């Protein structure tokens, strides 16, 4: 007899779990106030969406995602790995704040490389709002999690499905605050059903190099990797200070096609001579570096924030050998 498939919803806080003093308030609210049980209870037509699947709930963390940290990432990765290893668990859904959602999504994709769907979901308005978007977003995420072809980490918001690799928050307050840039979304919700795009077949399972050492290592020992920005009038003080503080890696967010101010470039060369790993990205929201003429490898289209994660994991994997 076939076991009833389970879907696990992991709560981490965020605006989707936030509350305000008034139902009309959309901006002045406190994030991470409601539990994951309260969030799922507000999903319209929940039983129909589950369609016989058993719902399991776990509150992994309760924080405003602006305060996301490595310790919470490690805990979340461990809990995801635990549930993904269960044969009767078909999918995970993670409620999360929007501010660092793209970073957590890429971290989990890089570390777990899951063959089951891990659907991250958020909201731009608090749960207490009379126009809350969280319940519908969570409903959509549960629908996506049931798709037979779904795999890997994705993000669902405002009816659009984004890959962990390409998703970025591009607006501070509108409901459709996320974009996948030139890559395009994986798909859309259409009258409650998933419509995959042609992008999905190409990108759904593309991953970075994973490292199991993340699960067991002390987060205080994770390599320190920072992002520095090239801009008009850029100097070397930030880089020199970071090297002095013991940074292990630097991702430079170059201007345009990965160009770097000459003063910053000189500082980065000195940092590299001191043993610091340097990687190149671009501060442009869309597109990727082409024809890289820099001495540093570019990060194949990853945003500076995601490039930081990949470099950190690369260094962590090397240190654990």
């Amino acid at each position: 007899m076939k076991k009833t498939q389970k879907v696990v919803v992991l709560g981490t806080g965020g605006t989707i779990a936030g509350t305000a003093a008034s139902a009309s308030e959309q901006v002045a609210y406190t994030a991470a106030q409601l539990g994951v049980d309260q969030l799922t209870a507000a999903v319209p037509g929940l039983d129909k969406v589950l369609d016989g699947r058993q719902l399991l709930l776990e509150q992994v963390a309760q924080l405003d995602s602006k305060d996301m940290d490595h310790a919470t990432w490690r805990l979340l990765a461990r809990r995801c790995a635990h549930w993904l290893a269960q044969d009767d668990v078909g999918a995970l859904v993670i409620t999360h704040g929007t501010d660092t959602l793209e970073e957590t999504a890429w971290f989990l994709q890089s570390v777990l490389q899951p063959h089951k769907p891990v659907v991250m979901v958020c909201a731009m308005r608090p749960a207490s709002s009379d126009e809350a978007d969280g319940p519908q977003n969570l409903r959509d995420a549960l629908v996506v999690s049931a798709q037979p072809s779904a795999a890997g980490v994705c993000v669902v918001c405002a009816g659009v499905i984004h890959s962990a690799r390409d998703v970025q928050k591009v607006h501070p307050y509108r409901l459709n605050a996320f974009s996948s840039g030139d890559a395009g979304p994986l798909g859309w919700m259409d009258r409650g059903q998933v419509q995959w795009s042609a992008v999905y077949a190409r990108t759904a399972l593309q991953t970075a190099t994973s490292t199991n050492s993340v699960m067991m290592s002390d987060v205080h020992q994770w390599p320190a990797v920072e992002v520095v920005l090239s801009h008009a009038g850029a100097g070397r003080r930030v880089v020199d200070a970071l090297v002095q503080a013991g940074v292990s890696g630097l991702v430079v967010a170059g201007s345009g096609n990965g160009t770097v101010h000459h003063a910053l470039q000189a500082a980065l060369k000195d940092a590299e001579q001191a043993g610091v790993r340097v990687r190149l990205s671009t501060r442009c929201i869309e597109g990727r570096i082409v024809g890289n003429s820099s001495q540093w490898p570019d990060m194949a289209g990853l945003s500076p924030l995601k490039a930081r994660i990949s470099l950190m994991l690369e260094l962590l994997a090397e240190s654990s050998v």
Side-chain angles (χ1 to χ4, degrees):
M1 183 176 179
K2 187 177 179 180
K3 293 182 179 178
T4 300
Q5 193 178 62
K6 300 172 182 175
V7 56
V8 182
V9 180
L10 304 176
T12 68
T15 295
I16 193 171
T19 59
S22 167
S24 62
E25 181 57 67
Q26 312 285 15
V27 178
Y29 59 86
T30 304
Q33 298 301 297
L34 302 184
V36 68
D37 55 337
Q38 295 167 286
L39 302 185
T40 53
V43 172
L46 179 60
D47 289 341
K48 183 178 180 181
V49 173
L50 291 175
D51 192 25
R53 292 187 296 168
Q54 182 181 349
L55 183 66
L56 300 179
L57 308 175
E58 180 180 342
Q59 194 73 45
V60 176
Q62 189 68 298
L63 47 74
D64 187 324
S65 78
K66 70 178 178 61
D67 296 320
M68 183 56 68
D69 53 37
H70 291 169
T72 304
W73 271 359
R74 182 183 63 175
L75 174 60
L76 183 58
R78 284 176 170 176
R79 297 313 298 158
C80 287
H82 166 80
W83 288 114
L84 290 169
Q86 310 301 311
D87 291 339
D88 57 349
V89 171
L92 305 182
V93 172
I94 302 172
T95 62
H96 197 286
T98 61
D99 284 353
T100 56
L101 176 61
E102 65 204 73
E103 296 172 71
T104 300
W106 183 240
F107 173 80
L108 292 176
Q109 176 64 37
S110 300
V111 171
L112 300 170
Q113 301 195 47
H115 291 284
K116 296 176 182 180
V118 177
V119 186
M120 303 195 66
V121 64
C122 58
M124 292 300 295
R125 292 174 178 167
S128 58
S129 169
D130 51 13
E131 297 180 355
D133 54 327
Q136 183 63 49
N137 285 346
L138 184 49
R139 187 185 195 280
D140 291 344
L142 287 166
V143 172
V144 172
S145 75
Q147 301 304 299
S149 60
V153 181
C154 67
V155 170
V156 174
C157 183
V160 184
I161 309 164
H162 304 275
S163 74
R165 179 184 177 86
D166 298 309
V167 67
Q168 291 190 65
K169 187 175 181 179
V170 296
H171 201 277
Y173 61 82
R174 72 186 182 199
L175 296 184
N176 58 333
F178 289 87
S179 171
S180 291
D182 289 347
L186 297 179
W188 302 266
M189 300 302 300
D190 182 8
R191 290 166 290 179
Q193 302 298 316
V194 174
Q195 299 294 327
W196 296 115
S197 72
V199 174
Y200 180 74
R202 300 197 306 271
T203 65
L205 287 177
Q206 290 181 359
T207 63
T209 303
S210 68
T211 171
N212 290 329
S213 58
V214 168
M215 304 297 186
M216 300 305 297
S217 60
D218 181 349
V219 294
H220 296 100
Q221 300 303 314
W222 286 11
V225 178
E226 300 291 346
V227 176
V228 294
L229 181 69
S230 185
H231 54 82
R236 61 178 303 131
R237 286 175 294 182
V238 172
V239 171
D240 289 345
L242 289 170
V243 172
Q244 183 67 31
V247 73
S248 298
L250 291 170
V251 173
V252 56
S255 49
N257 194 35
T259 57
V260 180
H261 190 284
H262 69 87
L264 181 60
Q265 187 174 40
L268 290 168
K269 288 180 179 179
D270 290 344
E272 193 170 45
Q273 288 294 315
V276 176
R277 198 78 54 89
V278 179
R279 293 290 184 268
L280 180 66
S281 184
T282 173
R283 69 188 200 187
C284 293
I285 295 297
E286 296 187 357
R288 58 182 295 174
I289 295 169
V290 294
N292 180 16
S293 59
S294 167
Q295 70 182 93
W296 304 298
D298 70 72
M299 297 300 286
L302 287 178
S303 70
L305 298 180
K306 292 177 183 176
R308 185 195 78 84
I309 294 167
S310 290
L311 180 54
M312 180 183 71
L313 293 176
E314 176 186 330
L315 294 169
L316 182 59
E318 292 176 3
S319 67
S320 64
V321 173

